[in-house]
């Protein structure tokens, strides 16, 4: 079946280029284009495409405003395309992911035939993958009034609102922290919420146990791919500053976007979030994210390492980080495997469980892509299957009980 794509970009040249690249695959048809967010909403309402490629900076309505409205009224898989990795563009990009966009990549380069061909293949691969994703309506976008949207889109006359004859939305698919000198103090945490009755740790909790070198004695490893940034954010935002474990995050994302994701997470979480560096000491209550194209390792004292080998299908690899953590920390590791395509993490989650640690997989109904968690569940690597909103509370309860058992 032909995949119907809407191309949204304020550059006529880029619209033509993207249309040509996508049309080079016989399974893809570009059914329309739009030069701004307001026009994109109108085209989505009229054409109901299978996938949207969405620019970040646009006149009238930017990518974030447009994504919010589309996911509220016409839920459709959105691939974010950005020409810049500037702080401003990356901030909007991750805001779009938080609002329901599913994936991100740089726009195809000009003047480099080899780079253009790689970009063509990557673009087609991502569009085909997203066309198979079933998305859900994001009701948060409906809290914005029609008047607000029309104000943002005031250069046009036609009102923006929900569709008159909207199809039913598709169901939800199956070293030390290097923060720089003089950095701002940590933001106060948001009020803690209870999740499924789990008792949460509070900032008044006893000091977290440490290794001989002062690193965290307990480690949580979180692995994710497609749809992961928003779920990772949801979990980390629920963890208080007194969280007694170090958190290692391995997120599959296009090259060049990891640093922006770290800034995005750090800005909205009570725990400090940093890009992992070789030689860092993994501290309790800190989050370390694997850099682009490097595996994240940890030893028995909590010292982090980075490695380009082996060059597996995915680098960074969730399996590699989880296996190293299991080897170094044994029963003091908790593994969490979230939404994503493929099988990365199933072997690592199994290694943690065999070492005596605890493992959690995201449930299928809440996953954008149920590939990675399902693979782990099928091989018996998951001790428990949970929705994202239950995971933070469960982590705190597991760590509280484990630390209590260790104390004399």
């Amino acid at each position: 079946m032909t995949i119907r794509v809407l191309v949204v970009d304020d550059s006529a040249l880029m619209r033509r280029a993207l249309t040509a690249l996508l049309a080079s695959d016989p399974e893809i048809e570009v059914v329309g284009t739009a030069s701004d967010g307001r026009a994109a909403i109108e085209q989505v309402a009229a054409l109901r495409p299978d996938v949207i490629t969405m620019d970040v900076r646009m006149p009238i309505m930017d990518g974030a405003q447009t994504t919010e409205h589309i996911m509220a009224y016409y839920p459709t898989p959105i691939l974010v395309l950005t020409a810049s990795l500037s702080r401003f563009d990356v901030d909007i990009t991750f805001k779009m992911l938080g609002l329901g966009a599913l994936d991100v990549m740089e726009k195809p380069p000009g003047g480099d035939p080899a780079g253009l061909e790689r970009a063509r293949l990557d673009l087609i691969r991502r569009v085909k993958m997203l066309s198979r994703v079933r998305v859900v309506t994001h009701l948060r976008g409906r809290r914005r009034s029609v008047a607000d949207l029309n104000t943002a889109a005031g250069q046009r006359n036609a009102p923006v609102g929900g569709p008159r004859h909207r199809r039913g939305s598709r169901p939800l698919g199956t070293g030390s922290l290097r923060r720089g000198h003089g950095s701002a103090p940590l933001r106060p945490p948001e009020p803690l919420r209870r999740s499924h009755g789990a008792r949460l740790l509070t900032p008044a909790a006893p000091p977290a146990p440490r290794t001989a070198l002062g690193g965290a004695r307990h480690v949580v490893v979180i692995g994710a791919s497609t749809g992961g940034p928003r779920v990772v954010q949801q979990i980390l935002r629920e963890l208080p500053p007194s969280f007694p474990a170090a958190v290692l995050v391995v997120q599959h994302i296009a090259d060049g976007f990891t640093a922006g994701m770290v800034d995005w997470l750090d800005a909205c979480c009570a725990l400090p979030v940093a890009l992992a560096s070789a030689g860092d000491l993994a501290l309790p209550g800190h989050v370390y994210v694997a850099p682009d194209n490097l595996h994240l390792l940890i030893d028995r004292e909590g010292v982090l390492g980075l490695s380009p080998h082996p060059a597996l299908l995915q680098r960074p690899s969730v399996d590699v980080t989880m296996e190293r953590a299991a080897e170094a920390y044994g029963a003091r590791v908790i593994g969490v495997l979230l939404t994503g395509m493929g099988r990365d993490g199933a072997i690592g989650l199994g290694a943690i469980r065999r070492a005596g640690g605890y493992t959690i997989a995201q449930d299928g109904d809440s996953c954008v892509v149920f590939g990675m968690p399902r693979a782990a569940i099928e091989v018996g690597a998951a001790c428990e299957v949970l929705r994202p909103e239950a995971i933070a509370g469960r982590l705190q309860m597991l760590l509280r009980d484990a630390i209590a058992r260790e104390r004399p």
Side-chain angles (χ1 to χ4, degrees):
M1 187 174 71
T2 302
I3 301 169
R4 304 170 70 254
V5 179
L6 174 68
V7 173
V8 183
D9 199 288
D10 68 342
S11 165
L13 180 61
M14 184 55 65
R15 291 196 300 274
R16 288 194 295 270
L18 292 172
T19 297
L21 293 176
L22 291 167
S24 68
D25 190 290
E27 297 178 4
I28 297 175
E29 177 188 3
V30 176
V31 294
T33 63
S35 60
D36 59 66
R38 177 60 178 263
I41 291 172
E42 295 168 351
Q43 289 281 58
V44 172
L47 300 172
R48 302 311 304 269
D50 299 311
V51 178
I52 303 167
T53 67
M54 183 77 71
D55 196 5
V56 173
R57 292 202 204 194
M58 296 183 293
I60 303 177
M61 297 174 68
D62 66 16
Q65 294 169 306
T66 308
T67 296
E68 182 178 35
H69 191 82
I70 288 173
M71 296 310 295
Y73 291 102
Y74 317 95
T76 308
I78 294 175
L79 171 62
V80 181
L81 297 180
T82 177
S84 170
L85 294 179
S86 70
R87 175 67 178 269
F88 179 81
D89 285 5
V90 169
D91 283 350
I92 298 179
T93 294
F94 281 96
K95 185 176 180 182
M96 292 168 71
L97 292 176
L99 291 168
L102 298 182
D103 204 357
V104 58
M105 65 175 287
E106 282 193 90
K107 291 181 181 179
D112 177 10
L116 185 62
E117 176 61 15
R118 286 193 299 271
R120 183 186 75 86
L121 295 174
D122 192 24
L123 176 65
I124 289 171
R125 178 184 65 84
R126 290 174 188 270
V127 164
K128 287 185 174 182
M129 178 191 69
L130 294 185
S131 73
R132 300 193 294 271
V133 173
R134 293 177 290 176
V135 292
V136 66
T137 300
H138 289 242
L139 295 176
R140 186 171 82 175
R142 297 192 180 186
R143 297 173 190 160
R144 289 172 57 104
S145 68
V146 173
D148 290 338
L149 286 170
N150 285 334
T151 298
Q155 298 180 35
R156 291 178 180 262
N157 294 323
V160 175
R164 293 176 182 173
H165 301 286
R166 183 170 57 88
R167 296 189 308 194
S169 62
R170 286 174 276 184
L172 184 64
T174 61
S176 58
L177 182 65
R178 302 175 187 268
R179 297 177 64 87
H181 297 291
S183 59
L186 294 179
R187 295 160 300 283
E190 294 183 357
L192 299 181
R193 295 189 287 273
R194 294 190 178 274
S195 178
H196 287 217
R199 291 172 57 191
L200 304 185
L201 294 172
T202 69
R210 310 251 183 156
T211 65
L213 294 182
R217 182 169 168 78
H218 295 264
V219 172
V220 174
V221 182
I222 299 175
S225 184
T226 308
R230 184 163 57 90
V231 183
V232 171
Q233 182 206 47
Q234 180 180 357
I235 294 169
L236 294 182
R237 287 184 68 172
E238 296 294 322
L239 301 179
S242 58
F243 191 67
V247 182
L248 310 184
V249 175
V250 181
Q251 168 70 55
H252 300 161
I253 198 166
D255 289 353
F257 289 93
T258 305
M261 184 181 72
V262 167
D263 290 340
W264 175 63
L265 292 172
D266 189 54
C268 62
C269 299
L271 303 184
V273 183
L275 201 63
S277 295
D280 282 355
L281 190 62
L283 302 175
H286 290 67
V287 181
Y288 304 88
V289 179
D292 291 335
N293 289 309
L294 291 170
H295 300 305
L296 177 55
L297 315 176
I298 190 168
D299 69 13
R300 287 178 170 81
E301 295 298 338
V303 179
L304 300 180
L306 301 174
S307 171
H309 303 293
L312 302 175
L313 180 63
Q314 294 286 350
R315 190 174 62 194
S317 164
V318 181
D319 280 331
V320 169
T321 301
M322 286 186 171
E323 287 184 302
R324 286 299 186 97
E327 179 183 339
Y329 274 69
R332 294 178 282 118
V333 183
I334 302 174
V336 180
L337 194 58
L338 305 176
T339 173
M341 181 168 288
R343 301 184 60 86
D344 189 23
I347 293 174
L349 213 66
I352 291 174
R353 187 166 190 179
R354 288 191 300 273
Y358 200 84
T359 56
I360 298 170
Q362 184 179 346
D363 76 306
D365 287 342
S366 66
C367 283
V368 168
V369 181
F370 191 40
M372 288 163 49
R374 178 170 57 193
I377 294 167
E378 287 175 348
V379 299
C383 299
E384 192 170 9
V385 179
L386 294 175
R387 291 184 62 82
E389 57 266 27
I391 292 176
R394 185 63 170 147
L395 291 175
Q396 293 172 80
M397 184 173 70
L398 290 167
L399 286 164
R400 180 206 63 197
D401 293 346
I403 293 169
R405 288 194 298 268
E406 292 175 354
R407 289 199 172 103

